[in-house]
Amino acid sequence: MEEIVSLARRIAESPLYTGEMLFAEPLAPRTTMQVGGPAAALAVPADGASAAYAAACACRAGLPLFILGGGSNIIVRDEGLDALVISLERLDGISYADGLLTAGAGAKFDAITAFCASHCLKGLSSFAGLPGTAGGAAFMNARCYGVSAGDLIQGVSYVDLDGLSEEKRDFTDFTLANFVKVYHNVQGTWAYKESPFQTFRSLILDVTFCVEALAQDAAGERLIRTENEGYVADRQSRGHFRAPSAGSVFKNDRRFGKPSGQLIDEAGLKGLAVGGAQIAPWHGNFIINTGSARARDIRALVERAQAAVRERTGFVLEPEVIFV
């Protein structure tokens, strides 16, 4: 940990870094599940160049690095992360031009879909209410109401962290332009809850989505806003916001013939609790924090659900949430 703290202090003092640098910072409040211990050091860069510089320094030093988006699909271990954690929350700009909406990796979908409504842009409403970010959606290939992020993504700007680990150039004159790459969507490289960015370590900087521009008038704005509100209302009716959670715990597998939540329900596990974590009484594929959950409680419930469904059906549920 001392090495990480020392490196973080040097990053914070560098003229190449703009933003906050926090130490022993609790991570639970930065996740939707509200569990987990502190980060040895948490960088909150003000821009993409600072984020890339911090990541480059950690990679060059061979020290543990974790990129934190909206915290909506992760379970942070109770002991916390002995790593430099880079939060992308300030990379939240949104812009539109010529049928393409570009959102910073840290832009939340509430802000993105609100932007779409105010600019009469159609295509992203199914993501309204998703408690995640543009970068997280690209990484996870988030899927909402039959629409996957990969269906809509035109391109992604990113930094190849594996490449940074082998980079020999002197970082004293670090410039983002020397390291940023642009991925152009290639169909066939995306699958259900899988993206090209899961095959290597990367720092996603921004994501460009294809959208449809409607007439810039009150009717167009009302149409998009109504679509957004409809999806949010449906999520509310399904209990998505009743308690802290990480969303769907397990991927759905068509080979099983039923959604994972139904398999868990049929195994009689809805409402099962371990410590402060509980399989939601209203949805078998949600684990909620009833107020005092720990990461180990959540992991125990995941393992209980996997064992029960496997014993009953022979199917092995694959977690969607990531334990870090």
Side-chain angles (χ1 to χ4, degrees):
M1 182 180 294
E2 289 182 6
E3 283 185 284
I4 295 167
V5 170
S6 177
L7 174 69
R9 294 192 189 284
R10 293 197 300 274
I11 292 171
E13 293 167 358
S14 170
L16 297 173
Y17 179 82
T18 302
E20 295 179 275
M21 186 66 74
L22 307 171
F23 299 91
E25 181 69 9
L27 292 176
R30 295 174 181 271
T31 73
T32 57
M33 184 59 94
Q34 301 282 290
V35 301
L42 175 70
V44 187
D47 50 49
S50 296
Y53 174 70
C57 290
C59 291
R60 167 66 64 83
L63 294 176
L65 172 68
F66 182 74
I67 307 300
L68 177 65
S72 63
N73 214 43
I74 63 170
I75 311 297
V76 176
R77 69 192 66 153
D78 298 317
E79 300 78 15
L81 300 183
D82 190 8
L84 172 65
V85 177
I86 299 178
S87 170
L88 303 182
E89 61 192 73
R90 293 180 65 180
L91 276 63
D92 59 354
I94 306 171
S95 62
Y96 168 77
D98 301 325
L100 299 174
L101 181 149
T102 298
K108 295 185 176 180
F109 272 98
D110 282 349
I112 294 171
T113 53
F115 181 96
C116 287
S118 63
H119 290 76
C120 302
L121 303 175
K122 186 177 178 61
L124 292 175
S125 288
S126 61
F127 292 88
L130 181 72
T133 59
F139 179 82
M140 295 298 300
N141 192 17
R143 183 175 176 85
C144 300
Y145 299 96
V147 179
S148 294
D151 299 333
L152 303 172
I153 287 174
Q154 186 266 351
V156 179
S157 296
Y158 70 98
V159 175
D160 180 355
L161 298 183
D162 287 334
L164 283 178
S165 299
E166 302 171 0
E167 180 58 53
K168 303 301 182 185
R169 278 177 285 185
D170 187 354
F171 288 163
T172 57
D173 61 349
F174 182 94
T175 58
L176 181 60
N178 291 334
F179 296 94
V180 68
K181 298 182 179 182
V182 178
Y183 165 85
H184 297 286
N185 196 343
V186 176
Q187 294 302 317
T189 59
W190 302 75
Y192 173 69
K193 299 296 177 71
E194 295 180 1
S195 82
F197 298 96
Q198 294 175 18
T199 63
F200 66 102
R201 293 193 308 153
S202 64
L203 166 64
I204 293 174
L205 298 174
D206 61 53
V207 183
T208 298
F209 299 93
C210 297
V211 293
E212 177 188 353
L214 304 182
Q216 294 283 311
D217 55 26
E221 180 174 348
R222 185 166 54 250
L223 173 64
I224 303 304
R225 201 172 299 281
T226 299
E227 286 186 355
N228 292 350
E229 291 171 353
Y231 283 110
V232 171
D234 187 71
R235 291 179 190 277
Q236 290 174 330
S237 71
R238 295 168 185 261
H240 284 214
F241 311 122
R242 293 185 197 174
S245 78
S248 296
V249 177
F250 298 101
K251 296 179 181 180
N252 290 318
D253 191 325
R254 293 180 180 177
R255 295 174 300 174
F256 298 170
K258 299 176 181 178
S260 295
Q262 185 176 346
L263 294 175
I264 293 168
D265 184 13
E266 292 174 354
L269 298 181
K270 281 204 301 190
L272 177 67
V274 174
Q278 182 185 37
I279 296 177
W282 60 86
H283 196 307
N285 203 15
F286 274 27
I287 291 178
I288 62 172
N289 181 351
T290 62
S292 59
R294 293 181 175 272
R296 60 175 172 266
D297 300 333
I298 297 162
R299 187 181 289 275
L301 279 178
V302 166
E303 293 172 353
R304 290 276 293 274
Q306 286 176 312
V309 171
R310 182 174 61 246
E311 181 177 351
R312 190 172 186 276
T313 67
F315 302 141
V316 179
L317 297 175
E318 181 184 356
E320 178 177 334
V321 295
I322 301 171
F323 288 87
V324 298

